[in-house]
Amino acid sequence: MTLGLEHFLILSSVLFAIGLYGALSKRSAVIILMSIEIMLGAVSIAMVAFSRYIVPAMLTGQVFTIFIIVVAAAEATVGLAIIIAIYRRRETIDITKIDLMKW
Amino acid sequence: MGLEIAFWILAVVAITAALAVVSLRNIFRAALCLILCFLSIAGIFVVLSADFLAAVQVLINVGAIAILIILAIMLTREVERGSLPNKLQFPVIASTVLFLCIAVFAVIRTPWQVSDLPPVEPTTAELANKLFGEGGFILPVEISAVLLLATIIGAIVLMREK
Amino acid sequence: MFKHYGNGIVKGMALTLKHLFRQPITTQYPEERLTVSRRIRGNVLAWSQDNCIGCYTCARNCPHGCIEIETSEKGEKGLIPAPCTQDCPSHVDAARYIRCLAQGKPDEALAVIREKIPFPSVCGYICAHPCESSCNRGLIDEPIAIRMLKRFAVDNNTGIWKQRSKTAPASGKQVAIIGAGPAGLTAAYYLAKLCGHAVTVFEALPQPGGMMRFGIPEYRLPDKILSDNISEIENAGVKIKTDTRIDRPESLLEEGFSAVFIAIGAHQAIELGIEGEDNPKILGSIDFLREVKLGKKVGLGNRVAVIGGGNSAMDSARTALRLGVKEVTIIYRRTRAEMPASPEEIEDSLDEGIKILFLAAPTRVTSHNNELKLECVRMKLGKEDASGRRRPEPIEGSEFVVELDNIISAISQRPRLPDPFGLATGRGNTIQVDPDTLATAKEGIFAGGDAVLGPATVILAIAAGRQAAISIDKYLGGSGIIDETLALPEEIIDREGGPREGWRPETSAIPHQQRLNSFNGVELGWDKDSALSETERCLRCDLVYGVEKYQLNGGACIYCGLCVEACPFDALFMGYSYERATYRLSEQILSKEELLTPDRRKPSGYARPEVEKTLPKQTLLIDRDL
Amino acid sequence: MPELIPQEALWPGNFWLHLLVFTVIIITFILLTVMFFIWFERRLLGRIQVRLGPNRAGPFGLLQPLADVIKVLTKEDIVPARGDKPVFWLAPIVAFVPVLMMFAVIPFQDGALLVDLNIGILYIVAVSSMASIGIFMAGWSSNNKYSLIGAMRDVAQLVSYEIPLALSILGVVLIAGSLSLTEIVEAQTVPFILLQPLGFLIFFIGSLAEMNRTPFDLVEADSEIVAGYNIEYSGMKWATFFLMEYAEALTISAIITTLFLGGWRGPLLPPFLWFIIKVVTVFSVIVWVRATIPRLRIDQVMAFTWKFLLPLALINLLITSLQVVFWPEAPVWLIVFAGLFIMIALILIWSKFFKLGGDRIDV
């Protein structure tokens, strides 16, 4: 059985689903951030796979992946900054306890 | 043949690591597993003959983002039993499985128009052309630069002690 | 920034590069010194039940607390002479009177002291305490303050010993003693009281006491204390004739005395032996102290130098200070470590503002209009001489001049022997006697004390007096037994627990500003609490306990050997199974034991499990929370 | 070195044999060189401090590292009772493997390397950033505040110094026009240290920080945090960290040689000998710096990279790219002199604005 586009797309879906589960069902903000990173990674796999199998000469998917990595980095930076800022005020990173809009 | 073995190993490692990230109680170990997951994704990129992307993935995700996450973990408390599920755990599992089924179904049933051309190798020069060359993505590159600048300023503003 | 750091970096790099090409100064370790590094390994400590007295010294010195001793409460083996008793020239049973003090009976303690010496108060104040030098406690921290305890005993005198003392019947024989110093009066006391002879003491000076009165300043030994002791001696039937100088001992024999004891002491200061010494402004320390004691006016200028490093130099300097001298300097040719004066005297002198000029020796004195110029030379220490002190040698060209008003020479003293004595003399003008009997070559004439020994201590003089009393009594046909029993026999000798840990209690002294205006006693005695707590430090080396169990907790023992080194009685030593491996420094330093038994199979945290069980927990658990 | 390898093993003829032979060669080379480096550093430091250094075991003390190895191997292996045990066990491996992996792309001579990746230098930067994970694992799992502080310092330092490091590499890449190390070496008709003096300086300083050597060895500052991240390690695991540090020094010396000193190129001697000579020279300079400059404070270290190295690296990149784009055929002597002049001028001007450790900074 040779490797096809489906393999990569299914792997991507599984990783995305795991990330989705983590992002929705966890209390810790850091774990949620990590789950989002997994989801972004899954999307990157899908992008690169599309690029490799559908338009191998154009690399458009890889360019998209580069932007995804850029956005992931930005998201992680700001997200962590927010988490630490909240932790400094509230002494917790449990998002179920961070439910006030203003304090 | 070699590529297939590599794919299966990397896929199993990536999925196991990702599952560990969302199921381990110890946040520090979860972060280590996230690093493993990122490394496997970089391996998948190599399998997809995107070697430049693989290196960038290691450099940015493993070398920077994961380490930032670990540093952030160190700055908070309750590391060893920090990762607890919230009340929505079982609904989320159900909906996630549903989503997965739909996605897999869609992937399998879609007739992909796969090209038979060999992949471009090496990708570095080609990517550069795509990003900066004629008719390329120069505008998104500029926008992402602005995004990064905004990120830097935002992070500094958030973390500055008043 | 660049100027600051860049320059530093560039210069530093250049410097290290320069050093790289220098010849290394590493040298070969000398071959003859290559046997080093003792390692002790094994599991058995040899313990000698005969030597062990159960003093707990080893248990206290063990860093891991792995020695357990069980002593039998009652089955003591008896008493042996303690080191302090053995090393006292008069063999005063210090261990026993400390025990009496510990039981709260100072009068009993005084009785114990009185059994051996007739001057307990004098010894309590100024004894040179050889007992403390030999005290086993000094091996652990600090010797027992035996002299202070003695002083506490005599300060709390109730006179109970007097009721138990008895006087021997008169023997009808007459003994003459020349010199009312410690030796002479001791001999007189025992000859009169315990042998029944009629004793007459002839003293050239107006008051009895000899060096105790005229050589030791008032602030160290108050006159009243001495006079009390001497009046006890007079009460025992001794006649003291003051202001009587004897020129020929034979004349006393012709007058009807059966025996003569010469104890004239050493009252002549030794000359400095330098040019210009015959100046009237240069005084001998002993003459100076005597003049002061006799109440004569000694005209001293504002700047006085005392030459010498013994106790009499300290006494002279401190006396001069009390006479109103502004600036007193002690000049000594060696360093402080070699000074023969007792350390506390040196400390007190410095405290009172006396300067000490070490490593300097006078070479010449010149006099210029009312001012002395003392030329000195700097010294350095050379090889050790026969006395174990390093011999000072002058440094050429390092002469310097000190301007002074007076000089007190306190180098040493010798006996002042009038020629008609006609006795054989030895080194330092001392009288030569038979060391066992103190008899001189002339029939019926004995000699002792400083006159025989040269300048020495009071306790040695007392010992000489006792020796003279014994041999004179034997010469006169007596038994020669001068021991008496004044203290009650001890009933139960018991030790309650081990000795107390810790140091001596503080000795208090009168404040500085009160010291220099008068000759009041400087050192103050102890109160009851201090004395009691000091007695608790005593190891009781004279008690021999039956040690029933001596157990070494093998799991905790690290075989450091500290207990063996600490034992004062040689009861512990390395057993046969101790391996003393020596390594030569030239070899690669690899631990043989670690190579033989690498224990890598079971990682065990911070320590091996068996050690964990036996050690106290707090030494193991480190606070590891972030 | 080609004569050691059968002809059919060379890339891409026989992939697996080539891989096997070169992996064995690289590991042997690293282990031997690390042992040599340990001896060499101690001897050199000794000489700089006007003493002999190890001189007992073997001729000139050459067997001293061997004696140390035997000692370390026979030590008891201690694991902290309340530490994170699996992480504790994994940490030395995770720290050591990336350093080994870096060597895969370093050319000993033309064609004599494990894989000639076309993204070679990017690969090195990426892999080297992974080494800090091992150190962080060690620091965390030891459950000891000193090791954690050491690890935090290491990570902060690594993340910060990676940026000027990568930027100064970009200057070289711009001139060479390739990311492949072999092509970079082949592009060096003139060693890039002459064309990129400022880039070389930044790279050298940055790599000193990257491998935690004096004056940037805050990670293991004995006077402050006892021994840093490896305080709880003993025996072979500790030795692995030690090996990692020296292997990193070796790798970075090799990278500096490749990027700036012309790699294997040189007259007369065989190419791999040139390579080794250059590597040892670079390492000697590192030891020389260690013997001279005292350790910085952590806030000084961070201020130095963000306020000093990073702007200079950016300016250097800008100038280099302007030159490459607008005047690619500029004469070499002009570039050399202009480069030197720009370097000195920039450093002098920047040091006017920049104060090292003037104010106290909490890090």
Side-chain angles (χ1 to χ4, degrees):
Chain A
M1 188 175 122
T2 50
L3 280 178
L5 179 58
E6 290 84 357
H7 291 92
F8 293 97
L9 289 182
I10 289 170
L11 171 63
S12 167
S13 323
V14 172
L15 283 179
F16 191 88
I18 293 169
L20 189 64
Y21 160 73
L24 290 180
S25 74
K26 288 289 176 179
R27 285 169 184 244
S28 165
V30 176
I31 291 285
I32 289 171
L33 204 65
M34 294 201 275
S35 305
I36 293 171
E37 293 292 336
I38 292 177
M39 284 156 77
L40 288 167
V43 173
S44 312
I45 291 177
M47 285 292 171
V48 177
F50 281 134
S51 166
R52 160 76 179 78
Y53 282 99
I54 293 176
V55 280
M58 283 180 65
L59 296 182
T60 324
Q62 295 199 18
V63 173
F64 265 92
T65 308
I66 287 180
F67 290 126
I68 289 172
I69 290 174
V70 169
V71 171
E75 170 256 331
T77 315
V78 178
L80 289 171
I82 291 171
I83 288 171
I84 290 181
I86 290 174
Y87 181 76
R88 279 189 188 161
R89 287 201 175 216
R90 301 292 304 266
E91 294 269 308
T92 182
I93 50 169
D94 187 341
I95 51 155
T96 57
K97 290 179 187 157
I98 309 169
D99 47 4
L100 287 176
M101 292 298 282
K102 190 178 174 187
W103 62 80
Chain B
M1 189 59 208
L3 282 183
E4 276 140 43
I5 298 169
F7 171 78
W8 287 111
I9 292 172
L10 288 169
V12 169
V13 170
I15 290 168
T16 319
L19 279 174
V21 169
V22 293
S23 57
L24 278 179
R25 283 261 174 120
N26 187 329
I27 301 186
F28 183 74
R29 289 194 191 174
L32 292 181
C33 290
L34 180 71
I35 290 170
L36 191 59
C37 183
F38 280 153
L39 283 175
S40 322
I41 290 174
I44 299 277
F45 286 170
V46 173
V47 171
L48 286 166
S49 39
D51 45 0
F52 181 81
L53 267 189
V56 169
Q57 166 86 7
V58 172
L59 180 59
I60 306 289
N61 275 346
V62 178
I65 293 178
I67 284 179
L68 265 187
I69 289 174
I70 291 177
L71 269 180
I73 290 170
M74 290 300 121
L75 292 175
T76 60
R77 227 179 288 153
E78 291 166 359
V79 175
E80 275 172 27
R81 264 184 292 282
S83 173
L84 297 170
N86 61 14
K87 281 178 276 183
L88 293 173
Q89 192 185 10
F90 294 105
V92 166
I93 287 178
S95 52
T96 311
V97 170
L98 191 65
F99 163 81
L100 188 58
C101 293
I102 294 168
V104 170
F105 181 75
V107 164
I108 290 171
R109 290 300 297 272
T110 312
W112 299 106
Q113 297 171 345
V114 176
S115 158
D116 285 338
L117 289 173
V120 180
E121 254 177 328
T123 57
T124 319
E126 199 59 35
L127 266 178
N129 278 334
K130 208 74 187 163
L131 280 174
F132 304 109
E134 295 279 328
F137 292 81
I138 191 67
L139 185 64
V141 169
E142 296 292 337
I143 292 170
S144 63
V146 174
L147 172 71
L148 287 177
L149 183 65
T151 308
I152 292 171
I153 295 170
I156 291 171
V157 168
L158 277 170
M159 295 307 294
R160 198 181 53 185
E161 286 178 43
K162 291 172 182 94
Chain C
M1 200 291 283
F2 185 78
K3 210 172 171 189
H4 189 209
Y5 292 96
N7 254 355
I9 290 170
V10 171
K11 272 188 191 165
M13 299 291 279
L15 190 72
T16 40
L17 197 64
K18 205 174 82 191
H19 276 76
L20 175 61
F21 296 105
R22 278 177 56 182
Q23 185 66 28
I25 55 170
T26 312
T27 52
Q28 181 82 35
Y29 198 75
E31 188 69 31
E32 65 273 14
R33 292 170 64 186
L34 280 179
T35 48
V36 276
S37 173
R38 190 182 76 193
R39 286 182 72 95
I40 305 165
R41 283 272 158 160
N43 50 10
V44 177
L45 262 178
W47 168 65
S48 151
Q49 194 167 17
D50 295 339
N51 287 356
C52 182
I53 63 155
C55 64
Y56 291 97
T57 310
C58 47
R60 258 196 322 281
N61 271 274
C62 179
H64 283 191
C66 51
I67 296 176
E68 280 172 29
I69 302 171
E70 277 181 20
T71 51
S72 56
E73 286 301 316
K74 288 181 184 147
E76 74 271 11
K77 289 182 192 165
L79 294 168
I80 53 164
C84 44
T85 312
Q86 281 176 327
D87 282 13
C88 179
S90 301
H91 303 307
V92 178
D93 197 343
R96 186 171 166 195
Y97 74 72
I98 290 172
R99 196 157 55 240
C100 292
L101 288 174
Q103 291 159 0
K105 295 184 281 191
D107 45 354
E108 205 70 35
L110 184 63
V112 173
I113 300 166
R114 271 281 176 185
E115 286 181 358
K116 295 289 182 188
I117 53 173
F119 291 106
S121 313
V122 175
C123 286
Y125 276 78
I126 53 140
C127 184
H129 49 72
C131 46
E132 292 184 23
S133 314
S134 63
C135 180
N136 273 332
R137 181 79 192 205
L139 299 171
I140 302 168
D141 37 41
E142 198 180 18
I144 307 293
I146 301 176
R147 183 178 68 78
M148 287 305 291
L149 288 174
K150 187 184 290 169
R151 183 170 164 178
F152 175 77
V154 300
D155 283 350
N156 291 279
N157 179 17
T158 55
I160 200 167
W161 65 274
K162 230 182 277 181
Q163 298 161 16
R164 299 180 195 144
S165 72
K166 52 187 184 293
T167 311
S171 67
K173 292 194 170 125
Q174 282 192 318
V175 179
I177 291 172
I178 308 173
L185 288 178
T186 305
Y189 175 74
Y190 287 114
L191 286 172
K193 186 166 169 240
L194 297 177
C195 308
H197 306 301
V199 183
T200 312
V201 182
F202 300 94
E203 170 61 51
L205 288 165
Q207 284 168 297
M211 273 298 180
M212 295 186 292
R213 190 180 294 276
F214 296 108
I216 294 167
E218 171 95 31
Y219 63 88
R220 278 177 69 196
L221 176 62
D223 267 356
K224 188 184 165 297
I225 303 288
L226 178 63
S227 301
D228 285 355
N229 273 189
I230 294 176
S231 62
E232 292 289 353
I233 292 167
E234 283 178 314
N235 290 346
V238 175
K239 270 181 272 174
I240 302 178
K241 284 189 178 176
T242 53
D243 285 320
T244 312
R245 182 175 290 275
I246 303 298
D247 288 335
R248 282 181 63 242
E250 287 92 339
S251 67
L252 293 171
L253 290 177
E254 289 154 12
E255 277 176 32
F257 290 103
S258 311
V260 178
F261 178 48
I262 302 172
I264 56 171
H267 280 262
Q268 190 175 21
I270 289 181
E271 304 82 18
L272 289 167
I274 58 174
E275 200 181 315
E277 202 191 345
D278 42 2
N279 195 303
K281 291 190 170 184
I282 301 181
L283 310 168
S285 74
I286 195 66
D287 304 320
F288 166 69
L289 290 171
R290 185 171 58 235
E291 304 284 287
V292 172
K293 257 297 174 62
L294 287 172
K296 292 186 188 164
K297 194 125 176 89
V298 187
L300 289 180
N302 275 334
R303 292 165 297 171
V304 172
V306 179
I307 296 167
N311 275 330
S312 67
M314 301 297 146
D315 288 344
S316 306
R318 292 173 72 183
T319 304
L321 214 58
R322 281 165 173 75
L323 290 175
V325 174
K326 294 270 186 321
E327 195 183 324
V328 182
T329 313
I330 293 174
I331 298 176
Y332 182 54
R333 56 189 183 145
R334 293 190 177 97
T335 64
R336 183 166 177 172
E338 285 89 12
M339 266 194 160
S342 61
E344 50 262 52
E345 282 286 299
I346 301 172
E347 198 58 49
D348 280 354
S349 304
L350 290 170
D351 266 5
E352 288 172 9
I354 291 165
K355 285 182 214 138
I356 306 185
L357 200 59
F358 293 109
L359 290 170
T363 51
R364 204 154 72 98
V365 184
T366 50
S367 176
H368 296 280
N369 47 12
N370 251 347
E371 197 178 63
L372 292 179
K373 280 195 188 324
L374 179 65
E375 283 182 24
C376 298
V377 66
R378 279 271 162 209
M379 311 293 270
K380 64 175 185 231
L381 293 180
K383 287 258 169 62
E384 286 181 5
D385 64 4
S387 69
R389 297 186 296 179
R390 295 175 68 190
R391 178 182 293 280
E393 293 160 0
I395 303 171
E396 293 296 327
S398 65
E399 289 82 5
F400 60 101
V401 176
V402 190
E403 290 177 359
L404 296 164
D405 294 321
N406 288 91
I407 295 172
I408 298 172
S409 136
I411 299 178
S412 183
Q413 300 102 40
R414 62 179 165 215
R416 181 183 282 148
L417 285 181
D419 284 340
F421 268 27
L423 296 168
T425 54
R427 187 176 171 273
N429 210 21
T430 53
I431 304 173
Q432 284 190 331
V433 294
D434 182 328
D436 292 329
T437 62
L438 299 181
T440 61
K442 292 190 181 172
E443 180 76 16
I445 297 180
F446 296 81
D450 283 1
V452 167
L453 302 168
T457 60
V458 168
I459 189 69
L460 272 169
I462 292 173
R466 286 178 59 87
Q467 203 182 350
I470 292 169
S471 54
I472 289 172
D473 190 36
K474 280 185 184 161
Y475 172 74
L476 297 177
S479 62
I481 298 169
I482 58 165
D483 286 331
E484 56 182 335
T485 310
L486 297 175
L488 298 174
E490 289 174 289
E491 291 164 358
I492 304 166
I493 302 170
D494 192 17
R495 166 173 44 203
E496 288 158 8
R500 176 174 77 84
E501 283 185 44
W503 302 75
R504 288 180 178 185
E506 287 283 319
T507 308
S508 50
I510 63 168
H512 276 219
Q513 55 269 36
Q514 290 176 26
R515 280 194 202 175
L516 301 184
N517 303 332
S518 69
F519 280 89
N520 292 339
V522 168
E523 190 184 57
L524 299 175
W526 274 346
D527 57 6
K528 204 176 168 190
D529 292 343
S530 301
L532 208 61
S533 79
E534 179 65 8
T535 58
E536 285 165 6
R537 289 179 66 233
C538 181
L539 298 179
R540 321 245 161 120
C541 311
D542 59 337
L543 298 194
V544 181
Y545 269 80
V547 180
E548 287 181 339
K549 198 173 103 189
Y550 185 90
Q551 197 175 11
L552 183 72
N553 186 341
C557 180
I558 58 165
Y559 314 110
C560 59
L562 279 179
C563 51
V564 179
E565 278 173 32
C567 180
F569 300 100
D570 292 336
L572 289 172
F573 38 89
M574 311 294 174
Y576 308 110
S577 57
Y578 268 79
E579 176 195 347
R580 283 188 177 185
T582 54
Y583 293 90
R584 287 165 67 90
L585 262 187
S586 60
E587 287 165 5
Q588 187 62 48
I589 299 187
L590 277 173
S591 150
K592 198 172 104 191
E593 286 78 22
E594 279 176 352
L595 281 181
L596 287 176
T597 57
D599 191 4
R600 293 171 56 221
R601 278 160 299 149
K602 38 173 190 185
S604 55
Y606 285 98
R608 294 199 178 80
E610 66 266 26
V611 183
E612 250 168 75
K613 272 176 215 145
T614 48
L615 281 184
K617 273 291 176 213
Q618 64 269 24
T619 60
L620 257 180
L621 295 177
I622 304 155
D623 181 20
R624 305 182 49 71
D625 289 326
L626 288 170
Chain D
M1 220 171 275
E3 61 269 19
L4 297 174
I5 310 152
Q7 198 60 50
E8 66 271 17
L10 288 175
W11 181 269
N14 191 328
F15 181 82
W16 294 109
L17 190 57
H18 176 90
L19 207 67
L20 193 71
V21 166
F22 256 96
T23 310
V24 169
I25 286 177
I26 284 174
I27 289 176
T28 321
F29 175 76
I30 287 179
L31 290 180
L32 284 178
T33 322
V34 161
M35 274 168 72
F36 168 74
F37 271 13
I38 291 171
W39 172 85
F40 184 69
E41 172 161 27
R42 292 179 65 181
R43 286 290 284 197
L44 201 61
L45 268 182
R47 287 303 298 266
I48 287 175
Q49 292 158 2
V50 206
R51 51 188 180 82
L52 276 177
N55 56 8
R56 294 285 182 187
F60 305 107
L62 266 170
L63 298 182
Q64 183 67 45
L66 210 64
D68 291 343
V69 166
I70 293 170
K71 176 171 181 261
V72 158
L73 281 174
T74 50
K75 282 247 177 190
E76 186 189 356
D77 204 356
I78 295 171
V79 179
R82 291 174 60 192
D84 196 343
K85 288 198 183 62
V87 181
F88 189 83
W89 278 91
L90 274 174
I93 302 163
V94 174
F96 184 52
V97 165
V99 179
L100 265 183
M101 280 167 64
M102 270 197 266
F103 239 89
V105 294
I106 290 171
F108 290 81
Q109 67 179 48
D110 197 3
L113 75 171
L114 184 59
V115 206
D116 187 7
L117 282 185
N118 66 327
I119 49 160
I121 192 66
L122 187 68
Y123 168 83
I124 281 176
V125 173
V127 169
S128 74
S129 69
M130 278 165 59
S132 63
I133 292 169
I135 287 174
F136 210 107
M137 284 164 74
W140 163 257
S141 62
S142 299
N143 198 4
N144 181 321
K145 54 192 155 217
Y146 295 121
S147 58
L148 190 62
I149 291 172
M152 298 273 272
R153 283 181 175 187
D154 178 75
V155 172
Q157 191 175 313
L158 250 147
V159 169
S160 312
Y161 273 84
E162 213 155 62
I163 300 163
L165 206 68
L167 289 177
S168 60
I169 289 174
L170 280 187
V172 172
V173 172
L174 274 176
I175 298 178
S178 171
L179 289 170
S180 156
L181 287 172
T182 317
E183 281 172 36
I184 288 177
V185 172
E186 274 164 1
Q188 294 185 60
T189 44
V190 178
F192 282 163
I193 185 174
L194 297 176
L195 304 183
Q196 282 279 310
L198 185 58
F200 171 74
L201 203 65
I202 292 167
F203 188 85
F204 186 74
I205 293 172
S207 49
L208 282 185
E210 196 88 337
M211 59 185 164
N212 308 322
R213 282 188 81 91
T214 355
F216 303 106
D217 58 343
L218 292 142
V219 178
E220 46 209 70
D222 333 36
S223 50
E224 301 160 23
I225 50 174
V226 191
Y229 62 89
N230 59 13
I231 183 170
E232 297 288 358
Y233 280 84
S234 70
M236 203 52 223
K237 291 209 281 290
W238 179 84
T240 312
F241 278 117
F242 203 69
L243 195 64
M244 182 269 284
E245 281 179 14
Y246 275 88
E248 207 171 358
L250 168 65
T251 317
I252 283 179
S253 305
I255 293 167
I256 291 178
T257 304
T258 311
L259 289 185
F260 291 98
L261 299 179
W264 70 78
R265 295 170 74 122
L268 297 174
L269 294 173
F272 71 91
L273 212 57
W274 266 114
F275 179 79
I276 289 169
I277 288 171
K278 285 173 182 176
V279 166
V280 172
T281 313
V282 173
F283 184 71
S284 319
V285 175
I286 292 170
V287 175
W288 182 18
V289 170
R290 175 179 169 184
T292 309
I293 303 176
R295 182 183 299 136
L296 295 177
R297 224 168 50 210
I298 180 73
D299 60 307
Q300 291 171 332
V301 168
M302 301 309 274
F304 187 67
T305 171
W306 290 110
K307 296 186 192 166
F308 195 84
L309 288 186
L310 181 61
L312 290 195
L314 280 171
I315 294 171
N316 181 51
L317 182 62
L318 179 73
I319 292 170
T320 313
S321 42
L322 285 180
Q323 184 256 321
V324 167
V325 171
F326 292 112
W327 197 12
E329 65 280 354
V332 169
W333 61 269
L334 189 64
I335 300 176
V336 169
F337 280 107
L340 272 175
F341 173 75
I342 290 167
M343 177 177 86
I344 291 164
L346 273 178
I347 289 176
L348 287 179
I349 292 167
W350 216 266
S351 27
K352 285 271 178 223
F353 301 118
F354 173 63
K355 237 181 168 165
L356 187 61
D359 301 329
R360 225 183 78 81
I361 301 167
D362 290 315
V363 176

